[in-house]
Amino acid sequence: MRVRAALRVLSFFCIFFCNVSGLSSDGQTLLSLLKNWLVPVSIKSSWNPLDSTPCYWYGILCDSKQNVIYINISSNGIAGPLGPEIGRLRYLSKIDISNNSFSGIIPNELGNCSLLTYLDLSLNSFTGEILESLTNLQNLRYLSLYLNSLSGEIPESLFWIPHLSVVYFSDNDFTGSVPLNLGNMSELKSLWLDTNGLSGAIPYSIGNCTKLIELYLRYNQFVGVLPDSLNNLELLQEFDVSWNSFKGSIPLSLSKCKELKELTLSFNHFSGQIPSGMGNCSNLTMFAAVSNSLTGQIPSSFGLLSELSLLYVSLNSLSGKIPPEIGNCSSLIEFDSYGNHHEGEIPSELGRLQNLQQLWLFDNNLTGEMPVSIWRIPTLEVLLVYNNSLTGELPLDMTMLQNLRNISLFNNHFSGLIPEGFGVNSSLEQLDFTNNKFSGKIPPNLCFGKQLKVMNMGLNLLEGSIPSDVRSCSTLRRLILEQNNLTGSLPKFVRNPNLLFMNIQGNKIVGEIPSSIKNLTNITSINLSRNNLTGLIPQELGNLVHLQFSLSQLQAPLDLLLQSVLGPGSLTTRGHRHSELSALRMEEWKIH
């Protein structure tokens, strides 16, 4: 009887043990990885040690023989190291653990997974160097390590993997130069090396990567000239070398650029002219060469680029007139050529750009009137033409620009009236007409869209009173109306915590400073000097950081002055000695 009882107990434990130990070796490997991870409940509950196979676990795929061939647990908030146990999964062909919080080094044992074709470890916190063992993955086609904290040099042996077509190494801390054997990757289609600390020149052998479609090298420390072998890359669509120290001329012959869509050369030291053959790049959607040393004119051949939507050539030494052929770029959304030496008139043909949203031509030598056709572009959002020598009046057409957000015309020679309806149909955010010759009244509805942040109209010939909608423009941050011929009284402001700076000096404003100015709760500077203000300075202004008045008519209570001395503020008053100030025998009084 005792023997039978013992056999029953043994049988029970055998059944239990068999159920536990029945999990396949791949399943046990996964559980050994899991024990060092912080994982969500969905994975912890799915990876059941009592199962005989992991093939039905979350993120796991098996072949017909129940070997684990695919791990996809991306975007699950998993934290912890990728342990060396991963090397036991010999049948793995794909690993995607991207967009988690994995940390530590990439285990050397990963090189044992010799059947891998796809490896995505991106968007994690891996550190250390790329180990030579990864070169054992001779079947690898896709390798993504971007957005980690990997360091060291890129191993030359990595570029001996014969079928590698995608390499994403962006946003790490890699240093050193690009291996000279880069050209061995004849199957390469995408190479992202941007946002690292890479240096040196680009290997000439890159011309052997004739299947290359994407090449991103921006935000590094590369030097030298771009190799002529780049002209062999006839399939190239996206090429970005911005924010480096490349020099020399733009090398692309552009006779073989039919597939090129985005060419970004900004923030380097390129010199010479923009190639006139650019018009051959018929699929080009973006050309960016900001902040280089390019000279000559913008090629008229750009007018052949019907797909071009973004044209950025600012901060160079480009000269001559803006080619009217740009008006043929029917897809153009943004045209930036500020900080150059353009001269002559803005071509009226730009008015044909019926999709244009932003036109940045400031800091040039442009003359003549703004073409009326530009004021009729329905999509126009930003117009920056300040610091030129433009003339003429503003047409009524501008009042119909429903999308206009930012218009900056300062430091030109515009004149005449500002159309009264301006602002009603748009949601202006920034308006700067400073230092022109505008006359007449300030339009009454500039803040109609309740988004106006900057209203600068100083140094003009404007007259009349300050519009009433200024008082209720709660989004306003800067108000500059200095040196005009404005009359009337100061507006009675409603509560506005956003207004930080106000300058209305040099006008003919009369009356008292309203006590409602206390509603400007965060203002740091007010200049009301050289007006005809009378009465007392409101007590509420005592704590302002900087305050400036003309005191020919104003009286400042002594307690306000003492409050300014004792408090955190600063008070500046200018004008004749008057009232309590005369006792101080000062023509100009400042307290900081």
Side-chain angles (χ1 to χ4, degrees), residues 452-456 470-480 491 493-504 516-526 528 544:
L452 190 63
K453 298 178 178 67
V454 175
M455 180 177 171
N456 295 347
V470 172
R471 62 181 284 276
S472 58
C473 192
S474 59
T475 57
L476 202 59
R477 296 177 182 174
R478 294 179 66 85
L479 175 63
I480 301 178
F493 292 95
V494 301
R495 180 174 176 79
N496 182 356
N498 295 305
L499 190 60
L500 303 176
F501 185 92
M502 180 166 65
N503 185 351
I504 309 181
S516 63
I517 205 162
K518 67 182 179 182
N519 290 322
L520 308 179
T521 53
N522 291 317
I523 198 161
T524 59
S525 179
I526 297 179
L528 303 176
L544 290 178

Side-chain angles (χ1 to χ4, degrees), residues 182-199:
L182 172 63
N184 290 332
M185 293 197 292
S186 58
E187 300 294 317
L188 192 63
K189 295 181 179 179
S190 296
L191 179 60
W192 295 8
L193 301 178
D194 53 292
T195 319
N196 281 287
L198 297 169
S199 57

Side-chain angles (χ1 to χ4, degrees), residues 266 274 287-291 298 302 308-316 318 322 326 332-340 342 350 353 356-362 364 380 382-384:
S266 300
I274 300 173
F287 177 78
V290 176
S291 190
I298 298 176
F302 270 107
L308 190 67
S309 60
L310 304 173
L311 177 56
Y312 304 135
V313 290
S314 304
L315 297 174
N316 282 285
L318 298 173
I322 297 172
I326 297 295
L332 201 61
I333 295 174
E334 298 181 13
F335 177 29
D336 297 358
S337 191
Y338 63 86
N340 281 297
H342 293 306
L350 295 188
L353 303 174
L356 192 68
Q357 297 176 8
Q358 299 193 21
L359 180 60
W360 295 24
L361 299 176
F362 59 89
N364 278 289
L380 195 62
V382 178
L383 177 63
L384 307 181

Side-chain angles (χ1 to χ4, degrees), residues 209-224:
C209 303
T210 54
K211 295 183 180 180
L212 203 58
I213 296 174
E214 298 178 329
L215 178 57
Y216 290 104
L217 306 176
R218 63 182 177 230
Y219 293 110
N220 278 289
Q221 300 166 24
F222 291 121
V223 296

Side-chain angles (χ1 to χ4, degrees), residues 276-340:
S276 60
M278 191 66 67
N280 294 323
C281 307
S282 54
N283 286 307
L284 198 67
T285 61
M286 181 178 75
F287 177 78
V290 176
S291 190
N292 282 283
S293 299
L294 298 173
T295 56
Q297 294 183 293
I298 298 176
S300 58
S301 60
F302 270 107
L304 299 173
L305 303 177
S306 59
E307 301 297 319
L308 190 67
S309 60
L310 304 173
L311 177 56
Y312 304 135
V313 290
S314 304
L315 297 174
N316 282 285
S317 296
L318 298 173
S319 58
K321 295 183 177 181
I322 297 172
E325 289 83 359
I326 297 295
N328 296 328
C329 301
S330 55
S331 300
L332 201 61
I333 295 174
E334 298 181 13
F335 177 29
D336 297 358
S337 191
Y338 63 86
N340 281 297

Side-chain angles (χ1 to χ4, degrees), residues 343-531:
E343 58 188 18
E345 298 183 354
I346 299 175
S348 61
E349 287 82 357
L350 295 188
R352 296 204 297 258
L353 303 174
Q354 293 297 289
N355 296 303
L356 192 68
Q357 297 176 8
Q358 299 193 21
L359 180 60
W360 295 24
L361 299 176
F362 59 89
D363 289 340
N364 278 289
N365 302 312
L366 298 169
T367 56
E369 298 186 7
M370 280 284 297
V372 175
S373 58
I374 290 179
W375 297 113
R376 295 172 179 169
I377 299 175
T379 54
L380 195 62
E381 297 180 5
V382 178
L383 177 63
L384 307 181
V385 293
Y386 57 85
N387 288 341
N388 280 287
S389 296
L390 298 169
T391 58
E393 299 184 3
L394 302 181
L396 286 173
D397 305 74
M398 71 180 302
T399 64
M400 303 307 294
L401 296 175
Q402 298 182 8
N403 297 295
L404 192 63
R405 296 182 290 106
N406 184 345
I407 176 169
S408 294
L409 310 179
F410 65 85
N411 292 347
N412 278 287
H413 306 296
F414 290 105
S415 59
L417 304 177
I418 302 172
E420 183 178 0
F422 183 47
V424 174
N425 292 312
S426 60
S427 295
L428 287 173
E429 297 179 12
Q430 180 165 324
L431 179 150
D432 198 331
F433 289 179
T434 305
N435 195 23
N436 281 282
K437 299 176 182 178
F438 289 115
S439 58
K441 295 182 178 182
I442 298 175
N445 295 300
L446 294 177
C447 195
F448 188 83
K450 303 299 181 184
Q451 296 186 40
L452 190 63
K453 298 178 178 67
V454 175
M455 180 177 171
N456 295 347
M457 307 185 78
L459 298 166
N460 280 287
L461 304 172
L462 297 168
E463 56 189 29
S465 59
I466 299 174
S468 59
D469 78 331
V470 172
R471 62 181 284 276
S472 58
C473 192
S474 59
T475 57
L476 202 59
R477 296 177 182 174
R478 294 179 66 85
L479 175 63
I480 301 178
L481 303 174
E482 63 173 322
Q483 297 189 42
N484 280 286
N485 297 313
L486 299 174
T487 57
S489 58
L490 290 173
K492 296 181 180 180
F493 292 95
V494 301
R495 180 174 176 79
N496 182 356
N498 295 305
L499 190 60
L500 303 176
F501 185 92
M502 180 166 65
N503 185 351
I504 309 181
Q505 65 101 6
N507 283 284
K508 300 175 182 178
I509 304 298
V510 298
E512 298 182 352
I513 300 174
S515 60
S516 63
I517 205 162
K518 67 182 179 182
N519 290 322
L520 308 179
T521 53
N522 291 317
I523 198 161
T524 59
S525 179
I526 297 179
N527 189 342
L528 303 176
S529 63
R530 297 170 54 210
N531 279 287

Side-chain angles (χ1 to χ4, degrees), residues 240-280:
D240 189 343
V241 296
S242 58
W243 293 97
N244 282 285
S245 295
F246 289 114
K247 63 180 182 179
S249 59
I250 299 174
L252 304 181
S253 67
L254 301 173
S255 60
K256 303 176 181 179
C257 62
K258 298 295 184 184
E259 301 298 324
L260 193 62
K261 294 181 178 180
E262 297 182 5
L263 177 59
T264 309
L265 310 171
S266 300
F267 300 99
N268 280 285
H269 307 300
F270 291 113
S271 57
Q273 299 188 4
I274 300 173
S276 60
M278 191 66 67
N280 294 323

